[in-house]
Amino acid sequence: RAGNVIGGGDWAKDRIIPDAMRAFANNKKLLVRNPNSIRPWQHVLEPLYGYLMLCQQLISNPEIYSSAWNFGPNEEDVKSVSVIVDIMMKSWGDKAHWQQDNVNYPHEASYLKLDCNKAKNILQWRPTWSLDLALDETVKWYKAYFNNEDMNKFTLNQIKKYTSDEPLP
């Protein structure tokens, strides 16, 4: 299981990151349902790396590693929706803005968190990117998309940055 996964290429409706990117790109106000809800945010590359580590171990030791696993951010990166939106607004720049949507929506949990100690202690997996960096890289991805950049190259550069912290030329 993974926490609230963010990153470029998510176009689903009623998800805060793609909704924010569409709103900011079109100079529209982002309406936020539950700004005080707290979630375990992480870049999509974080759990993917954990899944690959787990797959390696499953091949050689299936009896030890065949069980449920959680991959999520460090404690300091479990933040409220309003904090996420504020960071994205700063990263996006221009006239990005948001307000709380006061429509009555179905109930959502106000606080979600994952216990990732098993992945950290047994697999030695650790999140690599801070939440600030993950959000900045996510916003950069969407800006590149809206600027009609080569998204295959851009995405491969982000993966290279994640794995080595040095983008390709």
Side-chain angles (χ1 to χ4, degrees):
R1 217 172 17 180
N4 280 45
V5 177
I6 63 172
D10 183 353
W11 297 106
K13 291 191 183 288
D14 297 324
R15 288 181 42 88
I16 192 65
I17 305 296
D19 288 350
M21 297 298 96
R22 282 189 289 268
F24 298 167
N26 292 301
N27 293 317
K28 297 196 180 216
K29 186 182 304 177
L30 172 65
L31 297 176
V32 178
R33 289 189 311 263
N34 298 302
N36 297 320
S37 292
I38 296 171
R39 302 287 184 259
W41 309 96
Q42 64 183 331
H43 195 275
V44 65
L45 295 175
E46 301 287 8
L48 290 178
Y49 180 63
Y51 299 160
L52 291 173
M53 289 178 73
L54 181 57
C55 286
Q56 281 183 309
Q57 295 301 322
L58 281 167
I59 290 169
S60 56
N61 299 301
E63 63 285 343
I64 296 171
Y65 292 93
S66 295
S67 58
W69 295 83
N70 291 331
F71 297 93
N74 289 321
E75 183 70 32
E76 64 269 14
D77 289 332
V78 177
K79 302 282 185 190
S80 70
V81 171
S82 64
V83 167
I84 299 308
V85 174
D86 288 342
I87 293 169
M88 286 191 306
M89 281 183 3
K90 184 177 179 187
S91 184
W92 186 272
D94 297 326
K95 296 176 182 168
H97 57 288
W98 71 274
Q99 76 176 38
Q100 183 167 352
D101 188 351
N102 292 317
V103 173
N104 276 337
Y105 290 97
H107 173 74
E108 291 181 33
S110 60
Y111 184 83
L112 297 178
K113 184 180 170 188
L114 288 173
D115 180 355
C116 303
N117 286 324
K118 182 177 171 183
K120 290 177 178 179
N121 296 330
I122 297 173
L123 282 177
Q124 299 302 304
W125 170 86
R126 299 277 184 286
T128 301
W129 283 358
S130 68
L131 179 58
D132 286 340
L133 179 57
L135 287 165
D136 189 55
E137 290 297 323
T138 299
V139 170
K140 284 178 184 173
W141 192 98
Y142 283 98
K143 279 188 155 188
Y145 174 85
F146 289 118
N147 287 328
N148 296 312
E149 292 184 31
D150 179 343
M151 295 314 296
N152 184 57
K153 181 179 178 183
F154 192 92
T155 302
L156 289 174
N157 276 329
Q158 277 195 333
I159 294 168
K160 179 71 173 170
K161 181 175 182 175
Y162 178 82
T163 58
S164 70
D165 207 33
E166 292 189 27
L168 298 168

